[in-house]
Amino acid sequence: ELSVASLQETVTVTGESPVIDTSSTRVQQNFKLEALQEIPNSRDLWSLLAVTPAVTMGRIDVGGNRAGTQTGYTAYGYSGQNRVLVEGINTTEGTAGAGFYVDYGSFEEVFLGTIAQGAEMPTPGVQSQMLGKSGGNKFQGELYQDYETNGMIGENIVDNVPPKFLYDPVSNPGGNIRPHSNETLKYRDSNINVGGPIKKDKLWWYFSYRYFTNSVGQPNFIGPIAGKSFDTSLWNPSGKATYQINQNNKLVGYYQWGQKTQANRLPQAALNYTSLDGTLKQVSGSWIYKGEWNGTLGKNMYAEARYGGFGYYFPLLANSDTTDPEVFDNKNTLLLGADQKEQTDRRRLQATGSLTYFKDGWGGTHNFKIGGEALFEYGWYGYTQVASGNERVTIASSGVPSQVVFYAPTATQVGSLGDGPSGNLLSIDRVNTKDFFVTDQYTVGRATLNLGFRYDQYDVFTPDQTQLAHTFPTGINISAASCSTSPLFCETHYLNWKSIVPRVGGTYDLFGTGKSVVKLNYGMYRFNPGVGVAASANPNQATKSITYNMKAAGAADPVYYTLNGVGYTTNGAPTSQALAGSITVDPTMTQPYSHQATAYLEQQLTEGVGARVGYVYYSVSNQTGTFQPYRPASAYTVPFTVTDPSDPSNVLTAYGIPSAQASSFKTDQVVQNSPDNGTYKTIEFSVNKRQSHNYSLAGGFGYTWQHDFPYGYPNTPNGPADYDFTTYSAKVSGTYSAKWGVLLSAIYRFQAGQNYARRISVSAPASCACVFSAASGSTGSNTNGSLNNSAIFATPYNAFRQDNISLIDLRAEKTFNIGPTKLRAFIDGFNLTNQYAAETINTLAGANFQQPTAIMAPRTGRIGVRYIW
C-alpha cells in the first residue's frame, strides 16, 4: 500500500572558485595530481620549474636526457638562497640546490613560490614544496612504465654545429663534436604506487617504488671514447603512514630513500675528455624522514608540529689511480689525468611547529599564524686526493703552463656510507638555526593586508678537528694536529647572526567584483649562510692547497711538469693558499640581505580566464665571499700585454705583482663582505584559462634587466667587474580534449641564451718578472669566482649570447576502462620541431672558442602506460 509522500525539495548549489585570488600577494605555481600526470616531462622537480613563468633553467631537459642530474635555475634574475621542502622537511642542499632526487610519482601536489613570499619563507629565492600521497579507506594503486629507444630519437647536430667543430673522418678528423653525440640511447622509468587501510577510518598506509635509468650521448667524450654514453640510474622506495587518533588529532610518519649512480660524471663540464680516467664514479644515497602531529584545538584554531631529518652521503671517486698530475688544458679544451677522490656527507635534523587562529572581528577578518623551527646542520668533507698526484696544472690559452696547484689529503677513507660521522672525513662544519615568524592576513571591505615579520638566528661554527700531516713538493710542511695540540683546531664560532625582517603586502578589489585586483608587496630577506661560511672559514680546509704561477725551469730549478720536452717550475711566491692559520673571518662581517618589491594588476577577462601584468624589483647586497685583502688590487703594478688568440688585433693589458715584492703581500684568505651587489628588474605578463569548452591554457612572458658581477667581485685589477645584461623567457601550456577520448597536453618553452664574454687564460711572460692572478671571490649565487682564477675578459660580458632555446613538447593520452580499473596509454613527443641549441660552450679564446660542450637533445619520442585501480 502506497501512502502519499510528503513534499520534498532538493537544492543543488554549484560554482567554481574565483579566477583571481583577491587576498594573496605571493606569486606561486601549483601542480596538482592531474597536472603532474598530464605534463609531458622527465618527472622531476626541475621539469616543473622549467614550465614555471619567470624561471630560467641552466640546462634544458628533452625527454628525460637530463634526468638524474641537477640543473641550476634562476627566478627573476637571481639563482641563490632557494628552499626545497619535501613533506615540510627542509631538503635544500647548501643554500640553493635540491639535495634529493625524489620519487615524482609519489607526490599528490607540488607548489613553487617564486616571488613576494610571506614571513614563513626565510630567504629570497624559490620555495618548493612537495607533498606525498596518502593511503585511504580503499585499497588502490597505480603501475607506471615508460620507455625510449634510440630509434625514437632524431638528429640535430650535422646541419647545425659549426663545421670546424664537427667531426668527419675525411674532411675534419680533428673535429671534437660527433654526429648523434647528444642523443638518448636508452630511457626507462618504472613506478608502482599502492595504498589502503590497515584499519578503516583509523589507520592508513601508502608505499611507492621508482626505478629510473637512462643513457645519453656526451658531446665532450671525444677521440678514443667518442660514442661512450653518460649513464644514470635512480631508485626510490618511500612510505607514509597516517593514524587518526580521534576527530581532532592525526599522526603522520614518512620516509623516503634515494640512490643515485653515475659511472662517468664530469668534473669539468666545459672541457673535453679523451679517456674515462678523467671522469668520476658516483654511488650516493639520500634520505628523508619525519613524524608529524596535526591537531584541531577548537573551531578557530589549528596546530601542527613535526620532527624529521634529511641527509646524504656523496662520494665522487676518480676512475683512475694514476699519480700523474691532472691537467686543465685550456688551449686544446682537454682534461688529462684523473680528478678527485672525495666524499661529502650532510645531515640536517629539524623540528618545526605552527599555530593558526581565525578571528572574525577586531575591525575585520583575521587569519593569524605563528610558527618556528630549529635546524641542526652538519657537513663532513674530505679528500684523499683533489687531483691525481694531488697536483693540478693549468695550461693557458697560449699553450704554456701557467699555474700549478698542490693539494694535501683531508680524509683517511672515502666512498662508504657513514664515513663522515665515523671520523674518516676530517673537515667538519656546523650551523644551528633557530627562527620564528608571525603573520596576519587581515581583510576589511575590499582590502586585504598580508602582514608579518620573522626572526632568524644562525650560529655558524666548526667543532673540534683533526689535521693530517703532509709535505708539499715545494717543501712546505703541514703538521699533524688536533684540538689537544693546537687551539686552531678546537671548536670555533664564527658568526651568530640575528635578524628581524618585515614582510608586508596588500590587495585591493577595485570594483568589489573580485575581477580587478591590484596587488603590492614588499619584503626584506636575510641570507642563510648554510654550512658554507663555516667551510670557507674552517682552518682545517677540506681542500688544502698552495697555488703558484709557473715558468720554464732553469738548470737548478725543480721540475714539476714537463710539456713538449720543456720542464716547468714554480714562479715566485704562492699566489694563494688554503692552510691552517692563513684563513680568518672578518669579525665585523654582517649578514647579506635582499629587497623585493612587486606591483601587479590581475584582471578576470571572461568567465574562467584571468590575466596578470606586473613589475618586480629584486636586489641583493652585502654578500660574503673569500678574498685576499692583504694582496689588494693596488699591489698589481707591473703591466704586460696579452693578445687575444681569437682576435690578434685585440691587445689587452694585464697587471702583475713584482716578483721581488710578492712575498711581502700575504696570500692569507679572509671571509668577508663585499660590494658584490646585484639588481634585477622584471616586467611580467601571464594569462590563465581554466578547462572549459574542451581546453585549458596558461602562459607567461618575462623580461629581466640585470646588473651584476657574473664572475664574482674582483680581488685584482685583472678580474672582471660588474655588467649590464638581460634575459627573457616565455612559457605556454595547455590541454585539449579531442575526439575519441584523446587528451592532448602541450608545452612551449622559450628562453634567451645566457650572455657571456670571451675569456683568455693568461700566463705572465718571463719579461714581466711578476706574479699574475685574476682572483675573485665566489659570492652569493655566483659560482664562477675563484682565488685560483687565471682568466681575464677579452670582451664585455654582454658581447655574446648563447643560443636561444625554443621547443615544443606534446602528449597524446587515451584512457581505456577495464572493469573497475583504467589503463591510460600515452605517447610523448619532445622538441617536436627538432631545434638545435648549444646549452654550454667553451668561452676561452683560442681554436676551440665557442665549441659546444653540451647540446640540446633532438626530437625525442616516448611511449608509456599507466594502470590504475
Side-chain angles (χ1 to χ4, degrees):
E1 182 176 334
L2 300 178
S3 59
V4 178
S6 60
L7 178 64
Q8 294 185 356
E9 183 177 10
T10 300
V11 178
T12 302
V13 179
T14 62
E16 294 185 350
S17 58
V19 174
I20 305 299
D21 184 344
T22 60
S23 58
S24 176
T25 55
R26 181 187 189 190
V27 178
Q28 176 174 293
Q29 185 83 356
N30 298 346
F31 298 92
K32 296 187 180 295
L33 180 61
E34 186 178 60
L36 294 175
Q37 294 183 342
E38 291 175 355
I39 294 173
N41 61 22
S42 60
R43 305 179 79 235
D44 60 23
L45 171 64
W46 298 275
S47 61
L48 298 178
L49 287 161
V51 298
T52 299
V55 175
T56 301
M57 307 303 295
R59 295 280 296 275
I60 299 297
D61 182 276
V62 177
N65 73 314
R66 290 283 303 164
T69 300
Q70 187 163 178
T71 300
Y73 54 94
T74 66
Y76 298 96
Y78 187 72
S79 62
Q81 294 292 308
N82 301 316
R83 189 171 172 93
V84 183
L85 304 174
V86 176
E87 283 284 315
I89 298 298
N90 185 351
T91 66
T92 311
E93 180 179 25
T95 61
F100 210 93
Y101 295 91
V102 293
D103 177 2
Y104 181 93
S106 70
F107 293 113
E108 184 81 24
E109 293 183 87
V110 177
F111 306 92
L112 302 176
T114 54
I115 202 74
Q117 305 193 69
E120 295 179 60
M121 174 64 170
T123 53
V126 175
Q127 175 166 285
S128 309
Q129 170 72 288
M130 290 165 272
L131 301 176
K133 298 174 184 176
S134 301
N137 277 339
K138 181 181 178 182
F139 176 69
Q140 56 187 343
E142 174 186 278
L143 291 172
Y144 176 93
Q145 179 66 60
D146 65 26
Y147 74 94
E148 301 169 13
T149 66
N150 190 245
M152 304 161 70
I153 313 298
E155 198 281 330
N156 66 352
I157 284 182
V158 173
D159 295 331
N160 296 288
V161 168
K164 67 177 180 177
F165 299 130
L166 184 64
Y167 170 82
D168 184 276
V170 177
S171 63
N172 191 23
N176 288 332
I177 305 299
R178 300 213 171 206
H180 310 291
S181 60
N182 65 333
E183 297 171 14
T184 299
L185 306 178
K186 181 183 70 174
Y187 180 101
R188 303 287 187 276
D189 194 350
S190 307
N191 223 156
I192 179 171
N193 295 266
V194 289
I198 298 175
K199 184 178 181 181
K200 287 189 175 183
D201 300 323
K202 201 72 174 176
L203 182 60
W204 304 273
W205 65 278
Y206 175 81
F207 174 78
S208 180
Y209 177 83
R210 182 191 188 192
Y211 178 78
F212 165 85
T213 182
N214 71 354
S215 298
V216 298
Q218 188 64 52
N220 43 356
F221 285 172
I222 66 172
I225 62 171
K228 170 66 180 174
S229 62
F230 185 87
D231 301 334
T232 302
S233 65
L234 307 171
W235 64 272
N236 301 77
S238 63
K240 190 174 185 179
T242 307
Y243 177 50
Q244 192 73 42
I245 302 173
N246 52 41
Q247 183 178 355
N248 294 330
N249 294 277
K250 179 170 65 176
L251 297 178
V252 180
Y254 180 83
Y255 181 84
Q256 182 171 172
W257 171 270
Q259 181 107 2
K260 176 181 176 180
T261 301
Q262 283 183 336
N264 301 112
R265 185 181 173 110
L266 307 186
Q268 293 287 318
L271 294 176
N272 295 319
Y273 298 77
T274 56
S275 169
L276 296 179
D277 290 354
T279 66
L280 302 168
K281 179 181 179 180
Q282 175 188 351
V283 181
S284 59
S286 309
W287 58 89
I288 313 166
Y289 65 86
K290 78 164 185 180
E292 180 175 293
W293 164 75
N294 297 327
T296 302
L297 306 183
K299 65 179 183 178
N300 295 332
M301 189 177 296
Y302 175 80
E304 60 179 352
R306 70 179 62 89
Y307 173 81
F310 152 74
Y312 61 74
Y313 77 101
F314 182 18
L316 288 174
L317 307 177
N319 280 311
S320 170
D321 292 323
T322 180
T323 57
D324 292 338
E326 182 182 33
V327 179
F328 289 177
D329 183 346
N330 290 318
K331 179 181 180 181
N332 299 301
T333 327
L334 288 174
L335 186 148
L336 305 172
D339 205 72
Q340 62 199 31
K341 295 182 179 179
E342 67 91 20
Q343 183 167 328
T344 297
D345 285 8
R346 290 200 180 183
R347 309 284 188 276
R348 185 185 291 115
L349 304 176
Q350 47 201 289
T352 64
S354 65
L355 183 68
T356 302
Y357 178 68
F358 304 93
K359 175 64 178 178
D360 190 4
W362 297 349
T365 300
H366 296 264
N367 180 357
F368 296 102
K369 188 172 185 179
I370 182 171
E373 60 185 359
L375 301 96
F376 306 94
E377 187 168 353
Y378 304 73
W380 294 269
Y381 314 87
Y383 293 77
T384 55
Q385 70 176 41
V386 181
S388 53
N390 269 321
E391 179 180 337
R392 178 177 291 150
V393 174
T394 297
I395 296 178
S397 300
S398 61
V400 176
S402 61
Q403 179 179 271
V404 60
V405 187
F406 299 108
Y407 299 98
T410 56
T412 58
Q413 174 183 303
V414 295
S416 301
L417 175 63
D419 273 346
S422 297
N424 295 319
L425 312 180
L426 302 180
S427 183
I428 312 170
D429 307 308
R430 293 285 312 276
V431 59
N432 292 342
T433 304
K434 300 174 184 176
D435 60 61
F436 71 86
F437 64 88
V438 177
T439 66
D440 178 21
Q441 188 174 85
Y442 170 44
T443 301
V444 54
R446 300 182 188 177
T448 298
L449 295 177
N450 292 283
L451 308 173
F453 73 91
R454 68 175 290 120
Y455 166 84
D456 294 281
Q457 178 184 359
Y458 297 99
D459 180 14
V460 178
F461 64 101
T462 52
D464 294 354
Q465 313 266 303
T466 300
Q467 176 175 267
L468 296 176
H470 183 73
T471 300
F472 290 102
T474 53
I476 296 176
N477 292 309
I478 297 175
S479 301
S482 65
C483 181
S484 62
T485 61
S486 170
L488 280 175
F489 296 92
C490 294
E491 180 173 316
T492 304
H493 290 252
Y494 304 102
L495 304 172
N496 197 340
W497 281 338
K498 302 175 183 178
S499 64
I500 297 177
V501 293
R503 309 285 165 80
V504 57
T507 69
Y508 187 74
D509 184 351
L510 292 176
F511 307 109
T513 62
K515 297 182 178 181
S516 302
V517 180
V518 173
K519 298 185 175 184
L520 303 175
N521 193 86
Y522 166 77
M524 183 179 183
Y525 301 80
R526 290 287 185 175
F527 279 30
N528 170 19
V531 294
V533 168
S536 298
N538 194 335
N540 192 33
Q541 285 284 292
T543 307
K544 288 186 169 71
S545 66
I546 302 181
T547 304
Y548 297 86
N549 287 165
M550 297 196 83
K551 67 178 183 178
D557 292 328
V559 174
Y560 298 110
Y561 184 69
T562 301
L563 178 66
N564 298 327
V566 178
Y568 290 85
T569 189
T570 56
N571 182 13
T575 59
S576 69
Q577 57 182 312
L579 303 175
S582 66
I583 301 173
T584 57
V585 174
D586 182 352
T588 66
M589 186 168 66
T590 57
Q591 191 173 7
Y593 59 89
S594 172
H595 293 292
Q596 293 179 10
T598 64
Y600 283 97
L601 172 64
E602 296 191 13
Q603 176 68 48
Q604 179 173 325
L605 302 178
T606 63
E607 188 66 31
V609 180
R612 178 179 67 203
V613 62
Y615 173 81
V616 175
Y617 174 84
Y618 197 144
S619 70
V620 293
S621 302
N622 211 39
Q623 298 184 85
T624 62
T626 303
F627 295 86
Q628 294 176 312
Y630 308 115
R631 183 166 279 201
S634 59
Y636 293 78
T637 57
V638 182
F640 62 92
T641 60
V642 177
T643 300
D644 184 347
S646 295
D647 180 6
S649 66
N650 185 22
V651 179
L652 307 167
T653 300
Y655 296 86
I657 299 175
S659 297
Q661 300 177 16
S663 59
S664 62
F665 294 101
K666 296 190 298 181
T667 59
D668 289 13
Q669 300 179 20
V670 178
V671 184
Q672 61 185 59
N673 294 116
S674 75
D676 182 18
N677 302 331
T679 57
Y680 321 93
K681 303 171 184 179
T682 301
I683 56 171
E684 182 181 26
F685 171 79
S686 65
V687 64
N688 182 73
K689 178 192 177 297
R690 287 184 177 154
Q691 182 73 31
S692 65
H693 305 290
N694 295 324
Y695 77 99
S696 66
L697 188 67
F701 171 80
Y703 193 102
T704 299
W705 293 266
Q706 299 176 242
H707 183 87
D708 207 350
F709 293 79
Y711 273 72
Y713 194 78
N715 199 100
T716 78
N718 302 303
D722 51 331
Y723 293 89
D724 292 307
F725 48 103
T726 61
T727 187
Y728 47 95
S729 65
K731 315 282 178 71
V732 181
S733 62
T735 63
Y736 177 68
S737 298
K739 292 182 178 180
W740 307 298
V742 175
L743 178 67
L744 302 176
S745 302
I747 299 170
Y748 172 72
R749 287 177 285 165
F750 171 88
Q751 69 178 46
Q754 179 180 320
N755 284 120
Y756 67 94
R758 183 167 62 243
R759 300 181 301 132
I760 305 174
S761 181
V762 174
S763 176
S767 58
C768 176
C770 63
V771 174
F772 170 80
S773 175
S776 59
S778 182
T779 55
S781 64
N782 165 54
T783 57
N784 294 315
S786 171
L787 295 180
N788 294 332
N789 185 39
S790 62
I792 64 174
F793 276 19
T795 68
Y797 184 71
N798 55 11
F800 299 94
R801 189 183 289 277
Q802 291 183 193
D803 293 336
N804 294 336
I805 304 293
S806 178
L807 69 166
I808 299 172
D809 303 332
L810 177 67
R811 167 171 293 183
E813 182 177 85
K814 168 72 173 175
T815 300
F816 302 90
N817 294 320
I818 307 174
T821 67
K822 295 181 179 180
L823 179 69
R824 292 179 179 168
F826 61 86
I827 180 169
D828 293 336
F830 302 94
N831 190 10
L832 288 178
T833 56
N834 203 36
Q835 294 292 304
Y836 167 89
E839 296 179 287
T840 62
I841 61 172
N842 174 37
T843 62
L844 287 170
N848 291 328
F849 174 59
Q850 294 182 324
Q851 178 201 305
T853 54
I855 298 172
M856 189 171 74
R859 182 187 297 112
T860 298
R862 178 195 299 167
I863 60 174
V865 295
R866 190 188 306 272
Y867 180 64
I868 305 168
W869 69 89

